Amino acid sequence: GSVLGLKFVLQALERLDNAILVTAPGEASFLAKSGLRVSVVNSRNPAATARGLAAAQPDKLIIVYAGDGFTEMTLPSVLGIKENVLYICYNNLGYALLNKMQRRIHDADFVHHFLRKASYVATASVSYYEDFIAKLKKASSLKGLRFIDLLTPCPALWDYEPSYTIEIGRLATESVLWPLYEITESGVAVTKVPSKFEPLQNFLNSLKIKMPDQEVQHEQELLTKRWKALNEGKLI
């Protein structure tokens, strides 16, 4: 999922001649083979590197593509709301320990705690290409700090057959575990309403995750409450 997300980003940037892509360790081998004309900087602290590049080259579009671990550990301390950076967190939930699903898979606090005054914030998924590309284009046209939290299912961490990556990602959104929305000056707006709402249990079954029925019911109620709030333009 993370490589697929990176491929989408590179395709979107291919037409731009003023972009610099900052990545974290782990994606360099794919980038070396991409053959695309995009300036790439690989860094163990991508947020700090992006901040320096934004200050030194204000005419450039600085984009970060880094995982949820690097993001949670470094982003809050080095990026402020005035930084002219588009930050894409490819989120395979590895940092949140997927085997403990009682921790809600998507926590609004993680995304928005330090980003409430950013010029653009959104969630996205590699399973919804058009939605992600539309958000990339919108974010690229803005200034200031922009943040996209991109769901990138990982077969190694999530224990599923790799060919089901897109399907698993869709199920995460259809069960409202990973709702797709954006936050702009106009407020909070859902960008993808599932054509079919799936119960949480179906997502857990797809990954062979076992939880007590009482916990599943509790999580389902929280997800339903969160989805209702999102449709009312609120975050909880």
Side-chain angles (χ1 to χ4, degrees):
S2 62
V3 174
L4 185 60
L6 180 59
K7 180 180 178 180
F8 294 159
V9 172
L10 288 170
Q11 288 175 343
L13 295 181
E14 191 172 15
R15 300 185 183 92
L16 302 176
D17 58 5
N18 70 327
I20 299 178
L21 180 65
V22 181
T23 65
E27 307 303 331
S29 59
F30 175 77
L31 284 165
K33 300 175 183 178
S34 67
L36 299 178
R37 297 179 179 179
V38 177
S39 298
V40 179
V41 177
N42 193 258
S43 171
R44 290 188 176 277
N45 194 330
T49 298
R51 183 176 190 174
L53 288 170
Q57 303 188 59
D59 59 324
K60 296 288 188 178
L61 173 61
I62 310 300
I63 301 179
V64 175
Y65 189 79
D68 50 316
F70 278 103
T71 299
E72 186 157 317
M73 289 185 289
T74 67
L75 181 59
S77 62
V78 295
L79 279 182
I81 61 173
K82 295 182 180 180
E83 307 296 344
N84 194 28
V85 172
L86 167 53
Y87 195 109
I88 302 167
C89 170
Y90 69 85
N91 199 337
N92 60 22
L93 307 171
Y95 195 68
L97 299 177
L98 183 70
N99 61 334
K100 296 182 179 179
M101 282 297 294
Q102 51 265 49
R103 286 189 60 178
R104 287 192 295 279
I105 193 171
H106 177 69
D107 189 340
D109 288 340
F110 169 75
V111 185
H112 307 297
H113 176 66
F114 53 92
L115 295 170
R116 292 185 184 277
K117 295 183 180 180
S119 60
Y120 184 77
V121 177
T123 59
S125 170
V126 294
S127 298
Y128 293 90
Y129 172 81
E130 292 182 354
D131 178 80
F132 179 40
I133 294 300
K135 288 170 178 173
L136 270 178
K137 290 181 177 178
K138 180 179 291 188
S140 297
S141 68
L142 299 173
K143 297 294 183 181
L145 178 59
R146 294 140 286 164
F147 184 86
I148 299 177
D149 200 8
L150 176 67
L151 181 66
T152 56
C154 176
L157 289 175
W158 298 24
D159 192 23
Y160 67 85
E161 169 60 39
S163 61
Y164 291 121
T165 292
I166 298 299
E167 183 178 339
I168 292 294
R170 285 176 178 162
L171 189 55
T173 295
E174 290 171 348
S175 59
V176 200
L177 280 165
W178 195 269
L180 301 182
Y181 60 93
E182 63 183 6
I183 305 174
T184 63
E185 292 182 351
S186 301
V188 180
V190 173
T191 59
K192 180 65 179 180
V193 177
S195 56
K196 178 183 179 182
F197 287 92
E198 295 282 355
L200 171 62
Q201 189 64 61
N202 287 359
F203 178 82
L204 299 176
N205 291 343
S206 70
L207 299 181
K208 301 177 183 178
I209 297 174
K210 297 185 181 299
M211 288 175 58
D213 292 343
Q214 187 174 359
E215 289 187 17
V216 174
Q217 182 178 353
H218 176 64
E219 290 296 317
Q220 184 71 71
E221 291 173 355
L222 288 174
L223 293 173
T224 300
K225 183 178 180 181
R226 175 175 293 173
W227 177 249
K228 181 181 178 180
L230 281 174
N231 279 276
E232 294 174 351
K234 305 174 184 177
L235 289 174
I236 59 172

